[in-house]
Amino acid sequence: MSRPPGSLPPQLSPAAAAGRLRRAAGFLARALPLCRAHAVEFYTGGLWERLVAPPAAAVLQELRAAGPLALRRPLAEGGGAAAALWEDDDMFSNVFCENSKKLINVHLFALAAKYYSLSSLGVCTPLEDVLEALRGDNQGTTGIKTDEFMNTKKSHEVQVMSELVDNIANYCGIKQVIDIGSGKGYLSSFLSMQYNLKVYGIDSSNTNTSGAHERNRKLKKHWKAYQSRGRANLKSQRLEKANDRPVESEVKCKAIIEKPLNNDSSLQSQDQVTVQDLVPSCGFTEIAASETSKQTEVDLVAWTQSDESKLSEEVLAILNVLPADAVEVFSSSQCNCGELCEEEKAQRKMASLKAKASKSSESNLYFPLTSCITAETELSDIITDLEDCMMVGLHTCGDLAANTLRIFTAKPEIKAVCSVGCCYHLLSEQFENQEECPEEVWGFPMCQYLKDEGWCCGRNARMSACLALERVAVGQMLPTESLFYRAVLQVIIEEIYGVTKSDRHVGKIFSKSSSFIDYVRKSLKKLELDDSKLPDSCIMDYYEKYKHRMNELEAFNMLKVVLAPCIELLILLDRLCYLKEQDNIAWSGLVKLFDPVKSPRCYAVIALKKQSCF
């Protein structure tokens, strides 16, 4: 199927993307020591003295004045001076000491971190531009709000990403979508029900696949509550209006063809649609099903109360995005068949059509599957009716995001990809342990430049990339006190017990502790260390010794937060450059999809194959 006329937005050339990656890597090569160290070792490893020259108070003051809050805003347009500034390698020597490698200028450090971020480096394509190009002259689809069935964060993510995926699918002329790491199926089920796409949701966890079924059970529960509330309101309205006007004696109903409803394979019951629950037992004005489903069109024409008609429209709008068997069965024995009015006949006609819809074509079903996806996975072994399709992933963890891109480039059936990764700390790194495993497929790096350079972030730095600068900027506090407790505990463990490494972990003891003494004793027991030889006074001596240095730990963690967007930039640019190295890609880019305060991992890697590959 040919693409509609129109062109996608301008994209970074392979050379431009590689150039920005090289510059970002040059800055991070100097800055990453701040993030490669773990807060547990803050005092035992002398991290402040080793890595930062200015006093903690000065660092905090500078970052609060010009750091995270300023970093929320991109650099000013036409900031050619800023670009030229950081193109000069000598500039980095003003940020970090060439000899000691310490951070010496916090102000320039904050500016550099701001420049080498996704929001400022000019590597992202605006979502509005992508949607406008994909839509052409077509109008977007409107439907019910996802916050009826999801929390605020998930609703925001699914609403935005599903619209983008639908537009990409339409642009490429495909109807099949493969959701990698689908979890409980929020995105998958919405793509199927809202946009009539045939979606395979693949997750490695049986628990998550079962959760997809559980989600539909919750939808059914919500629907029952909606029905009960609607009937109660309708009964109240009837009683109020019965005194104001006579009851109409005749109703005319006209039913026009109703196309198949959406269905969801994750619900296996054979229930049919309840007429009385779908349509209140009263007269109707015109009812039109919302545009939520492209396969449903109902037109019932009558004359009666306008507000009751409004309720009916709301009922149908919700029905359109629920599975056909998500409502209770209605038994014909509940009605006196000898006394059917025209309205009830129309309702029965409607129920018959709904029942047929549950047996309709499977072109808009959602199939939750359990399978572990690797770069070598053959999708045709999992999906027997694999056809031209696109791959999507909403917060695919670790290597799964990288493997999604590798499968996309290797399989001719996959025409497009839209992947939002997360959990960077779970990425495997080729050069982290300096082990030669040429046959291994690694999550990082992907592009040839970083491979040639032997680039390595390290797990602690990748963990720092998961920090949410935007949330800190709007007031979310860092867990400074809990980190302080853990860092001082490490001093006690090494000095009193002589233990420097352990396979055991303290875990989330801080929230369960009433004081520092309580925290230390609970932690020592969990580490299977004898706390009886450690009196309370000794524990408090350690606390008092380091208490005045807590602001150093706070400042150090703030420096890591400021660097977080730079590390994320490196990881995502690596993926983009990998795509731009492929010969079969027509368009690729990074697109900011979500509000980073609501959803910190908000950037998608998007790519479409060349038309010759269709």
Side-chain angles (χ1 to χ4, degrees), residues 218-429:
K218 291 181 179 179
L219 282 176
K220 181 176 179 181
K221 181 179 179 181
H222 175 90
W223 174 239
K224 288 180 177 179
Y226 184 89
Q227 291 170 319
S228 299
R229 186 168 62 250
R231 286 194 294 266
N233 291 340
L234 193 56
K235 183 177 180 181
S236 175
Q237 292 171 7
R238 284 176 178 169
L239 291 174
E240 291 177 1
K241 295 180 180 181
N243 298 325
D244 297 334
R245 59 180 177 223
V247 178
E248 289 79 0
S249 60
E250 184 177 0
V251 179
K252 294 182 180 179
C253 298
K254 178 176 69 175
I256 296 180
I257 296 175
E258 178 187 4
K259 296 181 181 178
L261 275 174
N262 290 337
N263 190 14
D264 194 324
S265 64
S266 61
L267 288 176
Q268 300 298 327
S269 68
Q270 298 301 315
D271 293 349
Q272 294 181 352
V273 177
T274 306
V275 178
Q276 289 181 337
D277 287 343
L278 296 180
V279 184
S281 299
C282 60
F284 286 86
T285 58
E286 178 176 319
I287 303 174
S290 73
E291 294 178 358
T292 307
S293 172
K294 298 175 184 176
Q295 295 188 343
T296 303
E297 182 178 0
V298 177
D299 188 8
L300 300 177
V301 181
W303 57 281
T304 185
Q305 300 98 322
S306 61
D307 45 358
E308 292 178 357
S309 171
K310 181 178 180 181
L311 173 63
S312 302
E313 291 176 351
E314 293 172 355
V315 170
L316 288 173
I318 295 234
L319 175 64
N320 286 337
V321 294
L322 289 176
D325 55 355
V327 285
E328 290 292 289
V329 66
F330 168 62
S331 172
S332 60
S333 64
Q334 295 174 338
C335 177
N336 186 343
C337 297
E339 298 178 4
L340 292 178
C341 66
E342 292 298 318
E343 170 200 274
E344 289 168 328
K345 290 179 181 178
Q347 292 172 358
R348 286 203 163 195
K349 175 70 172 178
M350 188 176 184
S352 176
L353 291 169
K354 304 292 186 193
K356 292 178 182 178
S358 65
K359 300 177 182 180
S360 64
S361 169
E362 294 183 341
S363 63
N364 60 334
L365 295 183
Y366 160 45
F367 300 87
L369 304 172
T370 301
S371 181
C372 183
I373 300 296
T374 68
E376 293 82 17
T377 295
E378 288 291 341
L379 293 176
S380 57
D381 293 340
I382 305 171
I383 303 170
T384 56
D385 63 338
L386 184 67
E387 59 189 49
D388 286 354
C389 62
M390 70 173 293
M391 294 183 76
V392 302
L394 175 53
H395 292 151
T396 48
C397 292
D399 287 355
L400 189 55
N403 288 337
T404 297
L405 300 182
R406 288 192 171 99
I407 294 172
F408 161 70
T409 59
K411 306 301 179 185
E413 315 89 50
I414 307 172
K415 307 305 180 184
V417 66
C418 179
S419 173
V420 180
C422 70
C423 302
Y424 301 132
H425 60 292
L426 298 179
L427 279 171
S428 63
E429 284 201 69

Side-chain angles (χ1 to χ4, degrees), residues 34-35 48 56 59-64 67-69 71 106 109 113 467-469 472-473 476-478 480 483 551-565:
L34 291 168
C35 290
W48 187 265
V59 172
L60 286 171
Q61 182 179 3
E62 187 64 51
L63 292 180
R64 286 166 181 162
L69 289 176
L71 280 165
V106 180
F109 169 82
L467 295 172
L469 172 60
V472 173
Q476 179 175 296
M477 302 301 294
L478 293 172
T480 301
L483 293 173
N551 66 338
E552 292 178 355
L553 185 57
E554 180 185 1
F556 195 79
N557 284 322
M558 191 65 78
L559 290 171
K560 294 171 76 170
V561 170
V562 170
L563 273 179

Side-chain angles (χ1 to χ4, degrees), residues 442-477:
W442 306 93
F444 180 88
M446 295 186 72
C447 77
Q448 198 58 48
Y449 169 73
L450 291 184
K451 284 184 176 181
D452 292 342
E453 293 292 312
W455 232 93
C456 174
C457 290
R459 188 178 189 278
N460 290 333
R462 287 183 277 109
M463 181 72 80
S464 296
C466 299
L467 295 172
L469 172 60
E470 295 282 346
R471 288 184 173 178
V472 173
V474 297
Q476 179 175 296
M477 302 301 294

